[in-house]
Amino acid sequence: MTLATQPSMLASLDALEHALRAERQALLDHDVDALLDSTRAKLVALRQVEARPLSDDVSGRVIALSELNRDNSVLLARRRREVTWALRHLGRLDSVGVYDAGGQSSARPQVRSLGVG
């Protein structure tokens, strides 16, 4: 058994995979609380994995987990666009695409009062 396949490394990779799958399900279910919990779990598991040396025998699994994380980021970006679109069309958010000389977005979303409250 190599250093990378010790039970602690396998447990850390299992925890990371479980957190990534929970994150994906939370994104699909639109469950904000589950998303926050799974993201916290993912960061804890990721720190555990990064604290241990990896060997070639787990590289395929690490690559697969990286792809799962990337897939989750695509879902998260889609959800963000959907929320931004909905807020803009409800009149709750003005987003102006203005960039400064450094290429940074200098526009901040403006909240408009709908006269309710």
Side-chain angles (χ1 to χ4, degrees), residues 9-28:
M9 174 52 75
L10 293 178
S12 296
L13 289 172
D14 288 344
L16 181 57
E17 182 174 1
H18 182 273
L20 287 167
R21 292 193 186 286
E23 181 182 58
R24 181 172 187 78
Q25 191 61 49
L27 286 165
L28 293 172

Side-chain angles (χ1 to χ4, degrees):
M1 182 180 293
T2 66
L3 183 63
T5 57
Q6 290 177 350
S8 61
M9 174 52 75
L10 293 178
S12 296
L13 289 172
D14 288 344
L16 181 57
E17 182 174 1
H18 182 273
L20 287 167
R21 292 193 186 286
E23 181 182 58
R24 181 172 187 78
Q25 191 61 49
L27 286 165
L28 293 172
D29 293 344
H30 302 276
D31 188 339
V32 175
D33 292 328
L35 179 60
L36 293 172
D37 291 343
S38 62
T39 300
R40 277 190 285 275
K42 176 178 76 170
L43 293 174
V44 168
L46 187 58
R47 285 187 201 105
Q48 291 173 353
V49 169
E50 289 175 336
R52 293 175 175 82
L54 296 176
S55 67
D56 291 341
D57 56 339
V58 295
S59 63
R61 185 164 183 202
V62 170
I63 290 169
L65 293 175
S66 173
E67 290 171 2
L68 181 55
N69 189 52
R70 204 172 6 260
D71 291 345
N72 287 354
S73 73
V74 169
L75 273 177
L76 185 59
R78 183 179 305 149
R79 295 292 177 255
R80 183 175 170 260
R81 285 190 306 270
E82 289 170 357
V83 168
T84 301
W85 181 90
L87 289 173
R88 189 172 46 248
H89 283 81
L90 288 171
R92 298 295 297 169
L93 182 69
D94 288 329
S95 58
V96 181
V98 178
Y99 294 91
D100 63 16
Q104 300 297 315
S105 176
S106 60
R108 292 195 174 91
Q110 301 288 327
V111 176
R112 289 190 288 177
S113 174
L114 294 176
V116 293

